[in-house]
């Protein structure tokens, strides 16, 4: 009995060493990974690193109880969820930088046009000044007033008035053009500031993604082959339980919707991507993240939708889960950080997470936030 208790304590120590190293505070995306660690033991074997197994340094001992593997699985889920949050932030910043770059290009084009117009106006003003110089420095108005020829007075009156109007118009046009040029310059400066801010946001999100994925891979690397196999089994088992419970609720009892033409095309595209790897920030053709897959599927169907899962949830039409049809998008988790495409019969196609490929899964295998319909 004493040895059994000591063995459980030693096992607890190894799991703590594997997971608590990843729980350092200060991350902006840490909420989802706050999973309680196993109770730490008070001692380890003399001369051995915590969690070490003779002949296999750095690995967790075999066998590892399912309750501890479940905690490892929960920690991994939290880390990959944090990576998904950061990926959505990265994708959103990427979309903003694309839009801002396009706006800057348009501003540059309009600025160049205004600069050409201003140069032309100044040339006209210069031509008028040169003409005045050729006439001895007298303006047409002065020449008119000094003329002693009555007929010239009559003939020149209309010319003077037209000249005055043209001069005023030229001056006003130069002023408007200069103000417009200043406005475009200010707009370009503001857009550049936004662009730089979003570039920094992208870089911060990129670092966060890499850190979370690296943390998860380090934790997984401490597992032996049999532990990894058991962990994968527990993941599949948990997904099956969730799917069975979801279907058992009768949520799809009245679901008879058929895919629209565009929805069918989107499903066909998603199906053709099965087996391709998940890569954060990717939107094809060789790899995808979750919203990269759904946005590209609907773009290929001729109906562009927002790039990120959170914007898809915000902007697309919500439909009841019981009324969903193939092609609809299922949004997961309270923060809308995962999205999949419904394909019928209670199933989805999605790009799950780093280290996985585009696959078919049960629609109820993850916590559903809601369903949206791109072509409602």
């Amino acid at each position: 009995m004493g040895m059994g208790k000591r063995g459980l304590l030693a096992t607890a120590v190894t799991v703590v060493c594997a997971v608590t190293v990843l729980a350092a505070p200060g991350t902006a995306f840490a909420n989802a990974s706050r999973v309680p660690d196993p109770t730490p033991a008070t001692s380890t074997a003399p001369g051995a690193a915590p969690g070490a197994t003779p002949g296999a340094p750095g690995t967790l001992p075999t066998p590892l109880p399912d309750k501890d593997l479940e905690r490892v699985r929960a920690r991994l889920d939290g880390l990959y969820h944090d990576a998904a949050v950061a990926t959505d932030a990265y994708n959103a910043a990427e979309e903003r930088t694309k839009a801002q770059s396009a706006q800057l290009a348009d501003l540059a084009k309009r600025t160049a046009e205004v600069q050409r117009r201003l140069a032309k106006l100044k040339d006209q003003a210069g031509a008028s000044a040169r003409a005045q110089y050729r006439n001895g420095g007298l303006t047409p108005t002065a020449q008119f007033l000094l003329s002693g020829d009555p007929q010239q007075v009559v003939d020149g009156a209309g010319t003077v008035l037209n000249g005055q109007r043209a001069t005023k118009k030229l001056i006003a046009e130069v002023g408007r053009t200069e103000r417009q040029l200043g406005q475009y310059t200010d707009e370009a400066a503001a857009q550049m500031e936004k662009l730089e801010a979003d570039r920094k946001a992208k870089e911060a999100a990129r670092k966060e993604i890499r850190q979370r994925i690296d943390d998860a891979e380090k934790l997984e690397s401490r597992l032996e082959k049999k532990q990894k196999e058991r962990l994968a089994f527990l993941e599949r088992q948990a997904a099956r339980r969730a799917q069975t419970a979801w279907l058992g609720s009768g949520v799809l009892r009245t679901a008879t919707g058929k895919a629209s033409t565009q929805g069918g095309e989107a499903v066909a595209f998603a199906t053709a991507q099965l087996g391709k790897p998940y890569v954060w920030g990717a939107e094809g053709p060789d790899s995808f993240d979750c919203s990269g897959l759904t946005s590209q599927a609907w773009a290929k169907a001729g109906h562009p939708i927002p790039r990120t899962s959170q914007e898809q949830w915000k902007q697309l039409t919500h439909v009841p889960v019981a009324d969903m049809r193939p092609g609809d998008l299922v949004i997961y988790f309270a923060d809308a950080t995962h999205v999949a495409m419904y394909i019928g019969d209670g199933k989805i196609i999605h790009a799950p997470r780093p280290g996985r490929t585009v696959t078919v899964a049960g629609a109820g295998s993850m916590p559903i936030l809601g369903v949206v319909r791109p072509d409602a």
Side-chain angles (χ1 to χ4, degrees):
M1 188 73 172
M3 288 299 293
K5 183 175 181 181
R6 197 174 303 117
L8 287 175
L9 289 174
T11 298
V13 167
T14 60
V15 176
V16 169
C17 292
V19 296
T20 56
V21 69
L22 304 176
T27 173
F29 302 100
N31 292 337
S33 58
R34 290 177 183 167
V35 180
D37 293 320
T39 304
T42 57
S43 63
T44 57
T53 300
T59 59
L60 300 181
T62 302
L64 197 63
D66 281 359
K67 66 177 182 178
D68 290 331
L69 277 175
E70 284 288 0
R71 294 188 181 189
V72 172
R73 184 175 71 83
R75 174 68 68 184
L76 287 170
D77 285 347
L79 290 169
Y80 283 123
H81 177 268
D82 290 347
V85 173
T87 298
D88 230 38
Y90 175 90
N91 289 336
E94 173 71 8
E95 290 302 293
R96 289 194 300 269
T97 57
K98 286 180 182 177
Q100 287 155 4
S101 295
Q103 290 171 349
L104 279 169
D106 180 61
L107 277 171
K109 182 179 178 181
R110 283 188 282 163
T111 298
E113 290 173 354
V114 171
Q115 287 173 330
R116 286 192 294 270
R117 189 163 73 246
L118 185 59
K120 185 177 179 180
L121 290 170
K122 288 183 176 179
D123 282 346
Q124 291 176 3
S128 176
R130 288 191 296 273
Q132 181 178 323
Y133 176 79
R134 286 193 297 270
N135 290 322
L138 294 176
T139 65
T141 302
Q143 294 177 43
F144 164 67
L145 293 174
L146 294 173
S147 174
D149 185 347
Q151 185 59 45
Q152 186 178 353
V153 171
V154 173
D155 294 340
T159 302
V160 169
L161 290 173
N162 288 336
Q164 289 175 337
R165 292 193 190 101
T167 300
K168 288 180 180 178
K169 183 178 179 181
L170 179 61
I171 293 171
E173 183 66 18
V174 168
R176 280 195 300 271
T177 304
E178 287 179 335
R179 287 192 296 273
Q180 191 174 38
L181 186 61
Q183 177 188 340
Y184 288 165
T185 302
D186 291 344
E187 286 182 19
Q191 287 297 333
M192 281 299 296
E193 287 182 7
K194 291 179 181 178
L195 185 62
E196 184 60 26
D198 280 318
R199 282 176 176 164
K200 289 180 180 178
K202 272 177 57 179
E203 188 55 34
R206 187 200 307 272
K207 290 179 180 177
E208 181 67 26
I209 294 163
R210 288 175 174 167
Q211 183 63 54
R212 295 305 97 200
I213 293 174
D214 185 55
D215 290 345
E217 289 175 346
K218 285 179 180 177
L219 176 54
E220 288 182 295
S221 72
R222 294 179 66 94
L223 298 171
E224 294 181 350
K225 181 180 178 182
K226 288 184 179 180
Q227 293 169 340
K228 290 178 181 178
E229 291 172 351
R230 182 62 181 171
L231 183 63
F233 171 79
L234 292 174
E235 289 177 352
R236 292 192 298 271
Q237 189 178 57
R240 281 196 299 270
R241 282 199 302 267
Q243 176 73 355
T244 299
W246 182 69
L247 292 174
S249 70
V251 66
L252 296 182
R253 190 176 295 118
T254 60
T256 57
K258 294 182 178 180
S260 65
T261 299
Q262 287 184 315
E265 292 173 359
V267 170
F269 176 88
T271 302
Q273 313 314 311
L274 288 171
K276 292 184 178 180
Y278 176 105
V279 174
W280 61 266
E283 45 189 335
D286 300 320
S287 56
F288 296 88
D289 64 18
C290 66
S291 57
L293 176 65
T294 55
S295 61
Q296 283 301 302
W298 274 97
K300 295 297 182 183
H303 192 94
I305 62 174
R307 169 64 176 87
T308 70
S309 58
Q310 291 176 337
E311 288 304 310
Q312 289 169 7
W313 174 244
K314 287 179 185 177
Q315 297 185 35
L316 302 180
T317 301
H318 292 206
V319 297
V321 174
D323 294 337
M324 66 181 174
R325 66 190 187 193
D328 288 348
L329 305 183
V330 186
I331 309 295
Y332 292 95
F333 306 111
D335 51 5
T337 49
H338 190 67
V339 59
M341 180 171 292
Y342 186 64
I343 59 173
D345 295 326
K347 297 176 183 178
I348 55 169
I349 288 177
H350 70 144
R353 64 169 175 80
R356 302 291 172 81
T357 61
V358 176
T359 189
V360 174
S365 59
M366 297 171 285
I368 295 175
L369 176 62
V371 177
V372 294
R373 180 165 296 164
D375 60 340

